[in-house]
Amino acid sequence: RTTDVTGPISVVVAEDSLLVRDSVSRALSTDPDIAVVGVAEDYDTATALVAQLRPTVLLTDIRMPPTSTDEGIRLARWLRTAHPDVGVIVLSNFADPGYAAGLLEEGTAGRGYLLKDRVAHFDELSDAVHQVAGGGTILDPLVVEALLAQPRSAAALSRLSPREREVLAELATGFSNRTVAQRLVLSQRAVEKHINSIFAKLGLTVDDSVDRRVKAVLMFLDEGGSA
């Protein structure tokens, strides 16, 4: 676990299914370092609770009222701006590449995507909350497989230069191009050129079905995340 949070990790659970909501709350209650401070059944209640309680992590279903389409992804996007310090873990019945890309398109830090099957594995769910609370990324193995439905990442990543791997490692932490430039003492234009080169070497085209930045990061994480 990489959590640097002081005190219990506060969690708001947003899920319209009473059964799943109770199962998640019960699973998290087995960890003395985690406290479920609120539950929500829909998007509007979730936003209100997060604004009021400022939890460490929001654990949310992808589909909830009012539209039951992509509320969890929209919550994650809203939090990036409104409460960037709140981590998000989305739960889904399916390993959907489109949802995963939407969750991670503005950065991977403090984001997680798990299948609901994991709720039955208390330790896995608890570990995911700790990981995301500490600013890390957690992805269900089946989600990674769905996103990497092409030649294995290790062979593709071996084509990157040492500097390109450094840039990709920074992207994997969720930093923007500007922050990456500052951290690596490069110009922002140089970082953008490196990123374009990374895309080309990894075979990620403009019309790729999954956002290229997200997919490049996932390839890096899948290999083990070593620069």
Side-chain angles (χ1 to χ4, degrees):
R1 293 176 177 176
T2 59
T3 313
D4 293 321
V5 179
T6 57
I9 299 170
S10 56
V11 177
V12 165
V13 177
E15 165 65 60
D16 62 319
S17 165
L18 176 61
L19 178 61
V20 176
R21 206 163 57 239
D22 286 351
S23 296
V24 169
S25 298
R26 188 165 58 251
L28 295 180
S29 70
T30 64
D31 188 328
D33 296 322
I34 296 175
V36 176
V37 296
V39 295
E41 301 178 12
D42 54 44
Y43 179 92
D44 291 338
T45 306
T47 57
L49 278 178
V50 169
Q52 174 189 351
L53 301 174
R54 297 297 295 272
T56 315
V57 174
L58 170 68
L59 202 155
T60 178
D61 190 9
I62 283 184
R63 300 178 180 180
M64 292 183 297
T67 69
S68 296
T69 54
D70 64 345
E71 277 75 15
I73 304 303
R74 291 194 286 116
L75 280 169
R77 289 172 175 158
W78 169 71
L79 285 170
R80 280 291 185 205
T81 302
H83 304 287
D85 55 328
V86 177
V88 178
I89 299 174
V90 298
L91 296 174
S92 175
N93 287 317
F94 308 102
D96 189 307
Y99 284 143
L103 173 68
L104 303 173
E105 65 185 357
E106 295 180 27
T108 61
R111 291 295 180 266
Y113 187 127
L114 295 177
L115 298 187
K116 288 187 177 179
D117 291 346
R118 304 293 172 187
V119 174
H121 304 280
F122 291 6
D123 289 345
E124 291 185 25
L125 187 61
S126 173
D127 286 344
V129 170
H130 280 269
Q131 183 82 1
V132 169
T137 306
I138 188 77
L139 296 171
D140 195 287
L142 292 179
V143 175
V144 175
E145 287 181 18
L147 282 161
L148 300 177
Q150 61 175 38
R152 297 304 297 165
S153 60
L157 288 167
S158 69
R159 295 194 289 269
L160 302 183
S161 70
R163 176 60 89 180
E164 288 166 349
R165 290 183 69 89
E166 286 182 341
V167 170
L168 186 51
E170 294 295 322
L171 294 182
T173 66
F175 291 130
S176 66
N177 291 3
R178 176 176 297 181
T179 303
V180 171
Q182 293 172 344
R183 287 172 59 85
L184 296 181
V185 194
L186 296 170
S187 69
Q188 192 167 333
R189 173 165 292 195
V191 169
E192 291 168 355
K193 291 178 70 174
H194 283 308
I195 291 173
N196 287 333
S197 178
I198 290 168
F199 290 160
K201 290 182 179 180
L202 297 184
L204 302 178
T205 59
V206 174
D207 60 352
D208 202 271
S209 60
V210 177
D211 181 86
R212 292 182 299 167
R213 187 183 184 105
V214 172
K215 199 159 188 176
V217 167
L218 286 168
M219 293 172 77
F220 177 80
L221 293 173
D222 186 52
E223 192 202 32
S226 174

